[in-house]
Amino acid sequence: MNSLPVVFVWVGKKPPAWWLSSVSWAKKNNPENDFWIVTNSTALGAVPDWLNVFRPSEDVLDAPIEGLRYQGSFWRNSSLRFWALAEWCRTVGAAKFFHAELDNALFSLSGLGQSLDRLGVGLFVPRDAPDRALASLMYCNRPASFVELVGLYQKPGGIEHDMHALGVYSDRFPQWFHALPTESYREYAWDVLSPKKTGGVFDAAAIGQYLFGAAPDYREKRIPKTGYVNENSKVDW
């Protein structure tokens, strides 16, 4: 690989209509990076030459996940992406990479990987609660972390959803977990990387929700589409 890969994952039938626009925006801002989409979907449509496609195996898609707090394919698939990323790492031999969710606006990542390498080894994830971290943008320089992460789903006590899994990982494997600073980093009780060292803050959920509103599935009609304040945000908007 010529540069740090940027990996998007979509497990499910048909990705949202805007998926390629999001990935293309990210590629425009990071033209030197290799881009991948890891997906089982056969409804991608035309895929540009610069975008690599990786198909997860049936073993990944049939991974046993039980005890999730929220039922439905969305929540199962959100967790399955961790299995898919672990398999992708093994197959292509990736040692370091970025993962981003499709509904994120990905700006320049230039130099970020090198900066994070100097700060630690493992998973670098925005964390906004003691038991929750969000895979909006993650950096990994230790693929074994994903093997440990999926192993948590087989532990007694259960994992509620993908965000909870990352929160539990931060507690069980603190030596391999590094909290990227969010807008509320000054108010957190846990260790957070300094934005001076990471080059800025990262959006777990609050910034996007304040600008564009909560996800439609959870937005009550009384809540405005903009100006939504996430329950874990600690700043005065």
Side-chain angles (χ1 to χ4, degrees):
M1 297 182 181
N2 297 324
S3 61
L4 285 174
V6 178
V7 188
F8 295 84
V9 182
W10 178 263
V11 180
K13 294 181 179 179
K14 187 176 182 179
W18 42 262
W19 79 269
L20 186 54
S21 295
S22 176
V23 177
S24 297
W25 166 264
K27 178 64 174 178
K28 179 180 179 180
N29 293 325
N30 299 277
E32 301 302 319
N33 292 74
D34 297 327
F35 274 71
W36 291 78
I37 184 163
V38 176
T39 183
N40 64 320
S41 176
T42 58
L44 294 181
V47 176
D49 292 340
W50 50 262
L51 182 59
N52 302 284
V53 179
F54 179 84
R55 301 292 185 180
S57 67
E58 290 299 320
D59 288 342
V60 164
L61 300 176
D62 294 334
I65 302 179
E66 299 180 359
L68 295 180
R69 177 180 178 183
Y70 304 110
Q71 300 303 310
S73 60
F74 172 83
W75 293 103
R76 174 177 168 80
N77 292 343
S78 295
S79 287
L80 279 179
R81 68 167 141 181
F82 298 144
W83 274 263
L85 284 168
E87 183 179 57
W88 173 81
C89 287
R90 292 194 305 271
T91 304
V92 306
K96 304 176 182 181
F97 64 95
F98 290 100
H99 161 274
E101 294 182 334
L102 286 172
D103 61 352
N104 278 252
L106 205 60
F107 294 89
S108 175
L109 301 170
S110 178
L112 179 58
Q114 293 86 339
S115 296
L116 297 180
D117 286 339
R118 291 191 288 269
L119 297 175
V121 177
L123 292 180
F124 297 77
V125 190
R127 181 185 182 188
D128 68 354
D131 61 349
R132 187 175 95 158
L134 290 87
S136 50
L137 175 68
M138 298 192 297
Y139 177 66
C140 175
N141 57 10
R142 181 179 176 267
S145 291
F146 279 99
V147 178
E148 296 158 350
L149 182 60
V150 300
L152 294 176
Y153 285 81
Q154 278 74 52
K155 299 292 184 181
I159 295 296
E160 296 183 359
H161 44 66
D162 58 307
M163 297 173 287
H164 182 230
L166 288 167
V168 172
Y169 187 85
S170 71
D171 181 61
R172 302 266 183 93
F173 297 92
Q175 70 274 35
W176 306 126
F177 184 92
H178 311 278
L180 294 173
T182 72
E183 82 294 331
S184 302
Y185 74 97
R186 295 179 186 272
E187 307 301 325
Y188 293 148
W190 52 87
D191 291 336
V192 183
L193 297 176
S194 168
K196 292 182 179 180
K197 295 183 178 180
T198 62
V201 299
F202 300 79
D203 186 21
I207 298 174
Q209 289 181 335
Y210 187 78
L211 292 175
F212 304 109
D217 288 347
Y218 307 102
R219 185 193 303 137
E220 299 178 9
K221 292 182 179 180
R222 298 187 305 274
I223 298 177
K225 293 184 178 180
T226 60
Y228 180 87
V229 179
N230 184 276
E231 68 274 14
N232 290 319
S233 182
K234 307 297 183 183
V235 301
D236 183 1
W237 295 93

